[in-house]
Amino acid sequence: MKTRFKPKFNIKKGDTVVVIAGDDKDRTKPRKVLEVIPDKARVLVEGVNIITKHTKPTAQNTKGGIVKQEAPIAISNVMLWDAKAGKPTKVNRQRENGKLVRIAKKSGEVIK
């Protein structure tokens, strides 16, 4: 994603999200965001898009073998989870005391 301007996303590391598209789609199961990759517009979500990686033996990992780990998915395939409403929600941004805060559109709660 090559653009002149840095993209702004409403999802941050540590947020709870719901996967709304893809193989791991489940709109009722909130999961935690492990990492956000803004320049590629991707997120790493806990327990989603598990891949098997074949590793060679190294000094740190003397055995090597097959490792299962999460791979990034497109940020458009996740939606922020609103704990108060118990549903996925869109995000609204507003300034409060000079700071930009995220507000859930379903419940009106401030997302921390």
Side-chain angles (χ1 to χ4, degrees), residues 30-94:
R31 300 165 191 261
K32 190 176 178 186
V33 174
L34 302 174
E35 185 183 350
V36 179
I37 309 162
D39 52 315
K40 292 185 179 176
R42 295 178 98 56
V43 286
L44 199 65
V45 182
E46 193 174 45
V48 175
N49 198 18
I50 301 291
I51 58 166
T52 54
K53 189 173 183 181
H54 298 264
T55 57
K56 285 187 172 182
T58 59
Q60 290 89 13
N61 183 12
T62 53
K63 279 199 163 191
I66 300 170
V67 179
K68 289 189 181 275
Q69 66 182 32
E70 291 103 354
I73 60 171
I75 202 162
S76 62
N77 293 346
V78 295
M79 203 170 181
L80 213 58
W81 179 256
D82 189 358
K84 187 177 179 187
K87 295 178 183 177
T89 183
K90 290 182 179 180
V91 179
N92 192 11
R93 294 190 211 184
Q94 288 182 353

Side-chain angles (χ1 to χ4, degrees), residues 5 16 19-21 23 27 29 40 43 71 79 103 106:
F5 305 105
T16 50
V19 180
I20 58 170
D23 291 341
R27 293 180 69 103
K29 189 174 182 185
K40 292 185 179 176
V43 286
M79 203 170 181
I103 297 172
K106 284 234 167 116

